[in-house]
Amino acid sequence: MKTYVLTVFDQEGKKLLEETFEAASDKDAEKIGTNRLEDLEYSNYTHRCVSPDGKLVLFHR
């Protein structure tokens, strides 16, 4: 399992959320991150999910 970081920003660049979670693969991390964003109603905010090696798994601006 790898540890991923999910970060959400408001329109002014203020960090609204930064949390870590574990996933078996980048594809699983994308699903987990998307579900978490939907649960917290942050889907339309600027967000990113980054893998431990710096790869963007999810990004929305």
Side-chain angles (χ1 to χ4, degrees), residues 4-23:
Y4 293 81
V5 180
L6 179 64
T7 311
V8 179
F9 303 93
D10 69 10
Q11 290 181 347
E12 297 173 0
K14 181 182 172 190
K15 197 182 298 181
L16 300 174
L17 175 77
E18 183 171 61
E19 64 181 35
T20 59
F21 63 91
E22 290 189 349

Side-chain angles (χ1 to χ4, degrees), residues 9-47:
F9 303 93
D10 69 10
Q11 290 181 347
E12 297 173 0
K14 181 182 172 190
K15 197 182 298 181
L16 300 174
L17 175 77
E18 183 171 61
E19 64 181 35
T20 59
F21 63 91
E22 290 189 349
S25 68
D26 290 351
K27 189 134 184 120
D28 288 343
E30 182 179 358
K31 289 177 187 174
I32 292 168
T34 299
N35 289 338
R36 186 73 177 134
L37 291 167
E38 289 172 0
D39 290 347
L40 296 171
E41 298 181 1
Y42 283 149
S43 296
N44 293 321
Y45 286 81
T46 299
H47 59 265

